[in-house]
Amino acid sequence: MSIKVRYLSKDEIELEAELLLAQYAETIGGPVKLPVPVDEITKYHLALQLEFADLHDVLDVPRQRNTPDILGAIWVDKEVILIDEMLDPNGYPSMAGRYRFSVAHEIGHWCLHRDYVSKDTRQAALFDAPSEPTVICRSGLTREPIEWQADKYASCLLMPRLKVREMWQERFNSKRPLLLSSLKPNVDVMMRAHNLMCGQGKSEVAAVNDALFEEVSKPIARRFGVSPSAMRIRLEELGLLLREAPKQSALTDSF
């Protein structure tokens, strides 16, 4: 089901994610602890059904190379979120970060996009008859606006900017960003770069640069329960990891 959504800026999406976290904090009567409990937010705060399923079987889509192409799906009218069973961290611990991001992504669809969907009470029960999900979330590089918005929401929800900045200062005893030129590759970085070149087709320079930043991101990523690549992207968005030194004019304008 293709849904056209209105434009939302990054700041607007960030504020929506922060609003949900604030509402959840009020519900539990205290601060939200890390890693952000997306399961509890989904099931107990938003009162949505969250389950695992073989989504390729449910949606009658062949699975490619025994890996999930469909990561999650949401049925807004039925208030149901299904995550592909191959992301279940109980059976596949290495998929924990991908699982958490997928759940947060579906929360993004619920919070940002459910008003675009008119509920149809005439639809059959989920497993009784074919029922089109509101959104099917696939892996892949092509991102429609609705998917980009949900991705951005997931990033903001799992890695709240204030908590990320606090963790950065705690780790480096400074609010200052790190420059790419100040980092040197080691064996782990070069192995990661090789995987990025083989798995994602990146150039050697791009792969080494990403791997350098992901090495810095690893300890912070573990605290937030996300992948180093997700944290690397978030740290770059927040200006804490810089590929180039800011121009002097930009520094002058900031004062």
Side-chain angles (χ1 to χ4, degrees):
M1 180 176 179
S2 180
I3 301 174
K4 292 184 179 181
V5 296
R6 73 176 182 87
Y7 171 79
L8 291 173
S9 69
K10 292 180 179 180
D11 286 342
E12 287 177 299
I13 295 172
E14 186 110 42
L15 288 173
E16 287 292 331
E18 290 175 349
L19 175 61
L20 178 62
L21 288 172
Q23 292 170 339
Y24 178 66
E26 184 176 353
T27 297
I28 63 176
V32 179
K33 295 181 179 179
L34 297 177
V36 173
V38 288
D39 286 26
E40 292 184 12
I41 290 173
T42 303
K43 293 188 283 189
Y44 305 119
H45 181 69
L46 297 176
L48 300 175
Q49 182 180 340
L50 175 63
E51 303 290 346
F52 290 105
D54 182 343
L55 282 175
H56 293 77
D57 182 58
V58 170
L59 300 172
D60 194 25
V61 176
R63 191 183 295 272
Q64 301 296 323
R65 299 184 300 278
N66 201 36
T67 58
D69 171 53
I70 301 173
L71 304 177
I74 182 169
W75 284 256
V76 166
D77 61 311
K78 300 179 184 303
E79 302 182 355
V80 170
I81 291 172
L82 294 184
I83 303 296
D84 191 77
E85 61 187 9
M86 291 191 72
L87 298 187
D88 185 350
N90 293 319
Y92 306 92
S94 65
M95 303 301 281
R98 179 72 268 183
Y99 163 70
R100 286 171 47 73
F101 198 92
S102 295
V103 174
H105 179 100
E106 301 305 332
I107 293 175
H109 283 312
W110 176 259
C111 293
L112 299 178
H113 306 134
R114 71 180 184 276
D115 288 343
Y116 290 91
V117 182
S118 58
K119 295 189 176 184
D120 184 355
T121 57
R122 295 171 297 175
Q123 283 187 327
L126 178 60
F127 297 108
D128 290 341
S131 174
E132 285 291 322
T134 304
V135 185
I136 300 173
C137 302
R138 297 174 176 268
S139 61
L141 300 178
T142 303
R143 312 303 282 173
E144 295 181 3
I146 189 172
E147 289 298 295
W148 176 86
Q149 289 179 7
D151 269 354
K152 177 62 180 175
Y153 187 97
S155 175
C156 298
L157 185 68
L158 292 171
M159 298 168 278
R161 56 184 165 183
L162 292 180
K163 289 188 178 292
V164 171
R165 292 187 185 280
E166 288 173 4
M167 194 66 61
W168 180 270
Q169 183 166 6
E170 179 182 312
R171 179 158 183 79
F172 296 103
N173 196 30
S174 171
K175 295 180 180 179
R176 295 177 64 84
L178 284 180
L179 281 173
L180 181 63
S181 59
S182 69
L183 304 175
K184 304 299 180 185
N186 57 25
V187 174
D188 289 340
V189 167
M190 296 311 296
M191 289 180 62
R192 174 62 178 160
H194 176 74
N195 292 336
L196 289 173
M197 285 188 287
C198 295
Q200 300 182 20
K202 294 189 176 185
S203 69
E204 183 177 359
V205 172
V208 171
N209 290 347
D210 281 0
L212 281 166
F213 274 170
E214 287 177 21
E215 188 68 15
V216 173
S217 303
K218 271 185 189 177
I220 305 174
R222 282 195 292 268
R223 189 70 185 88
F224 285 81
V226 299
S227 68
S229 61
M231 181 55 72
R232 184 260 303 169
I233 293 169
R234 184 64 164 149
L235 290 171
E236 289 196 71
E237 287 178 345
L238 295 174
L240 294 171
L241 290 175
L242 298 178
R243 307 247 168 182
E244 297 178 354
K247 295 181 180 179
Q248 190 62 40
S249 59
L251 291 173
T252 303
D253 292 341
S254 65
F255 289 102

Coordinates of all heavy atoms in Angstrom, one line a residue, residues 22-93:
A22 N 8.7 11.6 26.2 CA 8.2 12.4 27.4 C 6.9 11.8 27.9 O 6.7 11.7 29.1 CB 8.1 13.8 27.0
Q23 N 6.1 11.4 27.0 CA 4.8 10.8 27.4 C 5.0 9.4 28.1 O 4.4 9.1 29.1 CB 3.9 10.6 26.2 CG 3.4 11.9 25.6 CD 2.7 11.7 24.2 OE1 2.9 10.6 23.6 NE2 1.9 12.6 23.8
Y24 N 6.0 8.7 27.6 CA 6.3 7.4 28.2 C 6.9 7.6 29.6 O 6.6 6.9 30.5 CB 7.2 6.6 27.3 CG 7.6 5.3 27.9 CD1 6.7 4.2 28.1 CD2 8.9 5.0 28.3 CE1 7.1 3.0 28.7 CE2 9.3 3.8 28.9 CZ 8.4 2.8 29.0 OH 8.7 1.6 29.6
A25 N 7.8 8.6 29.7 CA 8.4 8.9 31.0 C 7.3 9.3 32.0 O 7.4 8.9 33.2 CB 9.4 10.0 30.9
E26 N 6.3 10.0 31.6 CA 5.2 10.4 32.5 C 4.4 9.2 32.9 O 4.0 9.0 34.1 CB 4.3 11.4 31.8 CG 3.2 11.9 32.7 CD 2.4 13.0 32.0 OE1 2.8 13.5 30.9 OE2 1.4 13.4 32.6
T27 N 4.2 8.2 32.0 CA 3.5 7.0 32.2 C 4.2 6.2 33.3 O 3.5 5.6 34.2 CB 3.3 6.2 31.0 OG1 2.5 6.9 30.0 CG2 2.6 4.9 31.3
I28 N 5.5 6.0 33.2 CA 6.2 5.2 34.1 C 6.7 5.9 35.4 O 7.2 5.3 36.3 CB 7.5 4.5 33.5 CG1 8.5 5.6 33.0 CG2 7.0 3.7 32.3 CD1 9.8 5.0 32.4
G29 N 6.5 7.2 35.4 CA 6.8 8.0 36.5 C 8.2 8.2 36.8 O 8.7 8.3 38.0
G30 N 9.1 8.3 35.8 CA 10.5 8.4 35.9 C 11.2 8.6 34.6 O 10.5 8.4 33.5
P31 N 12.5 8.8 34.6 CA 13.2 8.9 33.4 C 13.3 7.6 32.6 O 13.2 6.6 33.1 CB 14.6 9.4 33.8 CG 14.7 8.9 35.2 CD 13.4 8.9 35.8
V32 N 13.4 7.8 31.3 CA 13.5 6.6 30.4 C 14.9 6.1 30.4 O 15.9 6.9 30.2 CB 13.1 7.0 28.9 CG1 13.3 5.7 28.0 CG2 11.7 7.5 28.9
K33 N 15.1 4.9 30.8 CA 16.5 4.3 30.9 C 16.9 3.8 29.5 O 16.1 3.4 28.7 CB 16.5 3.2 32.0 CG 16.2 3.7 33.4 CD 16.3 2.6 34.4 CE 16.1 3.1 35.8 NZ 16.1 2.0 36.8
L34 N 18.2 3.7 29.4 CA 18.8 3.2 28.2 C 19.1 1.7 28.4 O 19.4 1.2 29.5 CB 20.1 3.9 27.8 CG 20.0 5.4 27.5 CD1 21.4 6.0 27.3 CD2 19.1 5.6 26.3
P35 N 19.1 0.9 27.3 CA 18.5 1.3 26.0 C 17.0 1.6 26.0 O 16.3 0.9 26.8 CB 18.9 0.1 25.1 CG 19.0 -1.0 26.0 CD 19.5 -0.5 27.3
V36 N 16.6 2.5 25.2 CA 15.2 2.8 25.1 C 14.3 1.6 24.9 O 14.5 0.8 24.0 CB 14.9 3.8 24.0 CG1 13.4 4.1 23.8 CG2 15.6 5.1 24.3
P37 N 13.4 1.3 25.8 CA 12.6 0.0 25.8 C 11.5 0.0 24.7 O 10.3 0.2 25.1 CB 12.1 -0.1 27.2 CG 11.9 1.3 27.6 CD 13.0 2.1 27.0
V38 N 11.9 -0.2 23.5 CA 10.9 0.0 22.4 C 9.8 -1.1 22.5 O 8.6 -0.9 22.1 CB 11.6 0.0 21.0 CG1 12.3 1.3 20.8 CG2 12.5 -1.2 20.9
D39 N 10.1 -2.3 23.0 CA 9.1 -3.3 23.2 C 8.0 -2.9 24.1 O 6.8 -3.0 23.8 CB 9.7 -4.6 23.7 CG 10.6 -5.4 22.7 OD1 11.0 -4.7 21.7 OD2 10.7 -6.6 22.8
E40 N 8.4 -2.3 25.3 CA 7.5 -1.9 26.3 C 6.7 -0.7 25.8 O 5.5 -0.6 26.0 CB 8.2 -1.5 27.6 CG 8.8 -2.7 28.3 CD 9.4 -2.3 29.6 OE1 9.2 -1.2 30.1 OE2 10.2 -3.2 30.2
I41 N 7.3 0.2 25.1 CA 6.6 1.4 24.5 C 5.5 0.9 23.6 O 4.4 1.4 23.6 CB 7.6 2.3 23.9 CG1 8.5 3.0 24.9 CG2 6.9 3.4 23.0 CD1 9.6 3.9 24.4
T42 N 5.9 -0.1 22.7 CA 5.0 -0.6 21.7 C 3.8 -1.3 22.4 O 2.6 -1.0 22.1 CB 5.7 -1.6 20.8 OG1 6.8 -0.9 20.2 CG2 4.7 -2.0 19.7
K43 N 4.1 -2.2 23.3 CA 3.0 -3.1 23.8 C 2.2 -2.5 24.9 O 1.0 -2.7 25.0 CB 3.6 -4.4 24.2 CG 4.1 -5.2 23.0 CD 4.6 -6.6 23.4 CE 5.9 -6.7 24.1 NZ 6.4 -8.0 24.4
Y44 N 2.9 -1.8 25.8 CA 2.2 -1.3 27.0 C 1.8 0.2 27.0 O 0.8 0.6 27.6 CB 3.1 -1.6 28.2 CG 3.4 -3.1 28.3 CD1 4.7 -3.5 28.3 CD2 2.4 -4.1 28.4 CE1 5.1 -4.8 28.3 CE2 2.8 -5.4 28.4 CZ 4.1 -5.8 28.4 OH 4.4 -7.1 28.4
H45 N 2.6 1.0 26.3 CA 2.3 2.4 26.2 C 1.4 2.7 25.1 O 0.4 3.4 25.2 CB 3.6 3.3 26.2 CG 3.3 4.7 26.1 ND1 2.8 5.4 27.2 CD2 3.4 5.6 25.1 CE1 2.7 6.7 26.9 NE2 3.0 6.9 25.6
L46 N 1.7 2.2 23.9 CA 0.9 2.4 22.7 C -0.2 1.4 22.5 O -1.1 1.5 21.7 CB 1.8 2.4 21.4 CG 2.9 3.5 21.4 CD1 3.7 3.4 20.1 CD2 2.2 4.9 21.4
A47 N -0.1 0.3 23.3 CA -1.1 -0.8 23.3 C -1.3 -1.4 21.9 O -2.4 -1.7 21.4 CB -2.5 -0.3 23.8
L48 N -0.1 -1.6 21.3 CA -0.1 -2.3 20.0 C 0.3 -3.7 20.1 O 1.1 -4.1 21.0 CB 0.8 -1.6 19.0 CG 0.6 -0.1 18.7 CD1 1.7 0.5 17.8 CD2 -0.8 0.0 18.0
Q49 N -0.2 -4.6 19.3 CA 0.2 -6.0 19.3 C 1.6 -6.1 18.5 O 1.7 -5.6 17.4 CB -0.8 -6.9 18.6 CG -0.4 -8.4 18.6 CD -1.5 -9.2 17.9 OE1 -2.7 -8.8 17.8 NE2 -1.1 -10.4 17.5
L50 N 2.6 -6.7 19.2 CA 3.9 -6.8 18.6 C 4.3 -8.3 18.6 O 4.4 -8.9 19.6 CB 4.9 -6.0 19.3 CG 6.4 -6.1 18.9 CD1 6.6 -5.7 17.5 CD2 7.3 -5.4 19.9
E51 N 4.5 -8.9 17.4 CA 4.8 -10.3 17.3 C 5.8 -10.5 16.2 O 6.1 -9.7 15.3 CB 3.5 -11.1 16.9 CG 2.3 -10.9 17.9 CD 2.5 -11.6 19.2 OE1 3.5 -12.4 19.3 OE2 1.8 -11.3 20.1
F52 N 6.4 -11.8 16.2 CA 7.3 -12.2 15.2 C 6.5 -13.1 14.2 O 5.5 -13.8 14.6 CB 8.4 -13.0 15.7 CG 9.4 -12.2 16.5 CD1 9.5 -12.2 17.9 CD2 10.3 -11.4 15.8 CE1 10.4 -11.5 18.6 CE2 11.3 -10.6 16.5 CZ 11.3 -10.7 17.9
A53 N 6.9 -13.1 13.0 CA 6.2 -14.0 12.0 C 7.2 -14.1 10.8 O 8.1 -13.3 10.6 CB 4.9 -13.4 11.5
D54 N 7.0 -15.2 10.0 CA 7.7 -15.3 8.8 C 6.9 -14.4 7.8 O 5.9 -14.8 7.1 CB 7.7 -16.8 8.3 CG 8.4 -17.0 7.0 OD1 8.7 -15.9 6.3 OD2 8.7 -18.1 6.6
L55 N 7.4 -13.2 7.7 CA 6.6 -12.2 6.9 C 6.6 -12.6 5.4 O 5.7 -12.2 4.7 CB 7.2 -10.8 7.1 CG 6.8 -10.1 8.4 CD1 7.5 -8.8 8.6 CD2 5.3 -9.9 8.5
H56 N 7.7 -13.3 4.9 CA 7.7 -13.6 3.5 C 6.6 -14.7 3.3 O 6.0 -14.7 2.2 CB 9.0 -14.2 3.2 CG 10.1 -13.2 3.2 ND1 10.7 -12.7 4.4 CD2 10.7 -12.4 2.2 CE1 11.6 -11.8 4.1 NE2 11.6 -11.6 2.8
D57 N 6.3 -15.5 4.3 CA 5.2 -16.4 4.1 C 3.8 -15.7 4.3 O 2.9 -16.0 3.5 CB 5.3 -17.6 5.2 CG 4.2 -18.6 5.0 OD1 4.1 -19.2 4.0 OD2 3.5 -18.8 6.0
V58 N 3.7 -14.9 5.3 CA 2.5 -14.1 5.5 C 2.1 -13.3 4.3 O 0.9 -13.3 3.9 CB 2.6 -13.2 6.7 CG1 1.4 -12.3 6.9 CG2 2.7 -14.1 8.0
L59 N 3.1 -12.7 3.7 CA 2.8 -11.8 2.5 C 3.1 -12.4 1.2 O 2.9 -11.8 0.1 CB 3.7 -10.5 2.7 CG 3.4 -9.7 4.0 CD1 4.5 -8.6 4.1 CD2 2.0 -9.2 4.0
D60 N 3.4 -13.7 1.2 CA 3.6 -14.5 0.0 C 4.7 -13.9 -0.9 O 4.5 -13.6 -2.1 CB 2.3 -14.7 -0.8 CG 2.4 -15.7 -1.9 OD1 3.2 -16.6 -1.7 OD2 1.6 -15.6 -2.9
V61 N 5.8 -13.6 -0.3 CA 7.0 -13.0 -1.0 C 8.2 -14.0 -0.8 O 8.5 -14.2 0.4 CB 7.3 -11.6 -0.5 CG1 8.6 -11.1 -1.2 CG2 6.1 -10.7 -0.7
P62 N 8.8 -14.5 -1.8 CA 9.9 -15.4 -1.7 C 11.0 -14.8 -0.9 O 11.4 -13.6 -1.1 CB 10.3 -15.8 -3.1 CG 9.1 -15.5 -3.9 CD 8.4 -14.3 -3.3
R63 N 11.7 -15.5 0.0 CA 12.8 -15.0 0.7 C 14.1 -15.2 -0.1 O 14.3 -16.3 -0.7 CB 13.0 -15.8 2.0 CG 14.0 -15.2 3.0 CD 14.1 -16.1 4.3 NE 12.8 -16.1 5.0 CZ 12.5 -15.2 6.0 NH1 13.4 -14.3 6.3 NH2 11.4 -15.4 6.6
Q64 N 14.9 -14.2 -0.2 CA 16.1 -14.3 -1.0 C 17.3 -14.7 -0.2 O 17.6 -14.1 0.9 CB 16.4 -12.9 -1.7 CG 15.2 -12.4 -2.5 CD 15.0 -13.2 -3.8 OE1 16.0 -13.8 -4.3 NE2 13.8 -13.4 -4.1
R65 N 18.0 -15.7 -0.6 CA 19.3 -16.1 0.0 C 19.1 -16.3 1.5 O 20.0 -16.0 2.3 CB 20.4 -15.1 -0.3 CG 20.7 -14.9 -1.8 CD 21.9 -14.0 -2.0 NE 21.6 -12.7 -1.5 CZ 20.9 -11.7 -2.1 NH1 20.4 -12.0 -3.3 NH2 20.7 -10.6 -1.6
N66 N 18.0 -16.8 1.9 CA 17.7 -17.1 3.3 C 17.9 -15.9 4.3 O 18.2 -16.0 5.4 CB 18.7 -18.2 3.8 CG 18.1 -18.9 5.0 OD1 16.9 -19.1 5.2 ND2 19.0 -19.3 6.0
T67 N 17.7 -14.7 3.7 CA 17.8 -13.5 4.5 C 16.5 -12.7 4.3 O 15.9 -12.7 3.3 CB 19.0 -12.6 4.1 OG1 18.9 -12.2 2.8 CG2 20.3 -13.3 4.4
P68 N 16.1 -11.9 5.4 CA 14.8 -11.2 5.2 C 15.0 -10.0 4.4 O 15.8 -9.1 4.6 CB 14.5 -10.8 6.7 CG 15.8 -10.8 7.4 CD 16.7 -11.8 6.7
D69 N 14.2 -9.9 3.3 CA 14.0 -8.7 2.5 C 13.0 -7.8 3.2 O 13.0 -6.6 3.2 CB 13.7 -9.0 1.1 CG 13.3 -7.8 0.3 OD1 14.2 -6.8 0.3 OD2 12.3 -7.7 -0.3
I70 N 11.9 -8.4 3.8 CA 10.9 -7.7 4.5 C 11.2 -7.8 6.0 O 11.3 -8.8 6.5 CB 9.5 -8.3 4.2 CG1 9.2 -8.3 2.7 CG2 8.4 -7.6 5.0 CD1 7.9 -9.0 2.3
L71 N 11.5 -6.6 6.6 CA 11.9 -6.6 8.0 C 10.7 -6.4 8.9 O 10.7 -7.0 10.0 CB 12.8 -5.4 8.2 CG 14.1 -5.4 7.2 CD1 14.9 -4.2 7.5 CD2 14.9 -6.7 7.4
G72 N 9.7 -5.7 8.5 CA 8.5 -5.5 9.4 C 7.3 -5.0 8.6 O 7.5 -4.6 7.4
A73 N 6.2 -5.1 9.2 CA 5.0 -4.6 8.5 C 4.0 -4.1 9.6 O 4.0 -4.7 10.8 CB 4.3 -5.7 7.7
I74 N 3.2 -3.2 9.3 CA 2.2 -2.7 10.3 C 0.8 -2.6 9.6 O 0.6 -2.2 8.5 CB 2.6 -1.3 10.8 CG1 1.6 -0.8 11.9 CG2 2.7 -0.3 9.7 CD1 2.0 0.5 12.6
W75 N -0.2 -3.1 10.4 CA -1.6 -3.1 10.0 C -2.2 -2.0 11.0 O -2.5 -2.3 12.1 CB -2.2 -4.4 10.2 CG -1.9 -5.5 9.2 CD1 -2.8 -5.9 8.2 CD2 -0.8 -6.3 9.1 NE1 -2.2 -6.9 7.4 CE2 -1.0 -7.1 8.0 CE3 0.4 -6.4 9.8 CZ2 0.0 -8.1 7.6 CZ3 1.4 -7.3 9.4 CH2 1.2 -8.1 8.3
V76 N -2.3 -0.8 10.5 CA -2.8 0.3 11.4 C -4.2 0.0 11.8 O -4.6 0.2 13.0 CB -2.7 1.6 10.6 CG1 -3.6 2.7 11.4 CG2 -1.3 2.1 10.5
D77 N -5.1 -0.5 10.9 CA -6.5 -0.7 11.3 C -6.6 -1.8 12.4 O -7.6 -1.8 13.2 CB -7.3 -1.1 10.1 CG -6.8 -2.3 9.4 OD1 -5.6 -2.4 9.1 OD2 -7.7 -3.2 9.1
K78 N -5.7 -2.7 12.4 CA -5.8 -3.8 13.4 C -4.8 -3.6 14.6 O -4.8 -4.4 15.5 CB -5.4 -5.1 12.7 CG -6.3 -5.5 11.5 CD -5.9 -6.8 10.9 CE -6.8 -7.0 9.6 NZ -8.2 -7.1 10.0
E79 N -4.1 -2.5 14.5 CA -3.1 -2.2 15.6 C -2.2 -3.3 15.8 O -1.9 -3.7 17.0 CB -3.9 -1.8 16.9 CG -4.9 -0.6 16.6 CD -5.6 -0.2 17.9 OE1 -5.5 -0.8 18.9 OE2 -6.4 0.8 17.8
V80 N -1.6 -3.8 14.8 CA -0.7 -4.9 14.8 C 0.6 -4.6 14.1 O 0.6 -4.0 13.0 CB -1.3 -6.2 14.1 CG1 -0.3 -7.3 13.9 CG2 -2.5 -6.7 14.9
I81 N 1.7 -4.9 14.7 CA 3.1 -4.9 14.1 C 3.7 -6.3 14.1 O 3.7 -6.9 15.1 CB 4.0 -3.9 14.9 CG1 3.5 -2.5 14.8 CG2 5.4 -4.1 14.5 CD1 4.3 -1.5 15.7
L82 N 4.1 -6.7 12.9 CA 4.8 -7.9 12.8 C 6.2 -7.7 12.4 O 6.5 -6.9 11.5 CB 4.1 -8.9 11.8 CG 2.7 -9.4 12.1 CD1 2.3 -10.3 11.0 CD2 2.7 -10.1 13.5
I83 N 7.2 -8.3 13.0 CA 8.6 -8.2 12.7 C 9.0 -9.6 12.2 O 8.6 -10.6 12.7 CB 9.5 -7.8 13.9 CG1 9.0 -6.5 14.5 CG2 10.9 -7.8 13.5 CD1 9.1 -5.3 13.6
D84 N 9.8 -9.6 11.1 CA 10.2 -10.9 10.6 C 11.0 -11.7 11.6 O 11.8 -11.2 12.4 CB 11.1 -10.7 9.3 CG 11.4 -12.0 8.6 OD1 10.5 -12.5 7.9 OD2 12.4 -12.7 8.8
E85 N 10.7 -13.0 11.6 CA 11.2 -13.9 12.7 C 12.7 -14.0 12.6 O 13.3 -14.4 13.7 CB 10.6 -15.3 12.5 CG 10.8 -16.0 11.2 CD 10.1 -17.3 11.0 OE1 9.2 -17.6 11.9 OE2 10.3 -18.0 10.1
M86 N 13.3 -13.8 11.5 CA 14.8 -13.9 11.5 C 15.5 -12.7 12.1 O 16.7 -12.6 12.2 CB 15.3 -14.0 10.0 CG 14.9 -15.4 9.4 SD 15.7 -15.7 7.8 CE 17.4 -16.0 8.4
L87 N 14.7 -11.7 12.6 CA 15.3 -10.6 13.4 C 15.1 -10.8 14.9 O 15.5 -10.0 15.7 CB 14.6 -9.3 13.0 CG 14.8 -8.8 11.6 CD1 14.2 -7.4 11.4 CD2 16.2 -8.8 11.1
D88 N 14.5 -12.0 15.3 CA 14.3 -12.3 16.7 C 15.6 -12.4 17.4 O 16.4 -13.3 17.1 CB 13.5 -13.6 16.8 CG 13.1 -13.9 18.2 OD1 13.6 -13.2 19.2 OD2 12.3 -14.9 18.4
P89 N 15.9 -11.5 18.3 CA 17.2 -11.5 19.0 C 17.4 -12.7 19.9 O 18.5 -13.1 20.2 CB 17.2 -10.2 19.8 CG 15.8 -9.8 20.0 CD 15.1 -10.3 18.8
N90 N 16.3 -13.4 20.3 CA 16.4 -14.6 21.1 C 17.0 -15.7 20.3 O 17.8 -16.5 20.8 CB 15.1 -15.0 21.6 CG 14.5 -14.0 22.6 OD1 15.3 -13.5 23.5 ND2 13.2 -13.7 22.6
G91 N 16.7 -15.8 19.0 CA 17.3 -16.8 18.2 C 18.5 -16.4 17.4 O 19.3 -17.2 17.0
Y92 N 18.5 -15.1 17.1 CA 19.6 -14.5 16.3 C 20.2 -13.3 17.1 O 19.8 -12.1 16.8 CB 19.1 -14.1 15.0 CG 18.4 -15.2 14.2 CD1 17.0 -15.4 14.3 CD2 19.2 -16.1 13.4 CE1 16.4 -16.4 13.6 CE2 18.5 -17.2 12.7 CZ 17.1 -17.3 12.8 OH 16.5 -18.3 12.2
P93 N 21.0 -13.5 18.1 CA 21.5 -12.4 18.9 C 22.2 -11.3 18.1 O 22.1 -10.1 18.5 CB 22.5 -13.1 19.9 CG 22.1 -14.5 19.9 CD 21.5 -14.8 18.6

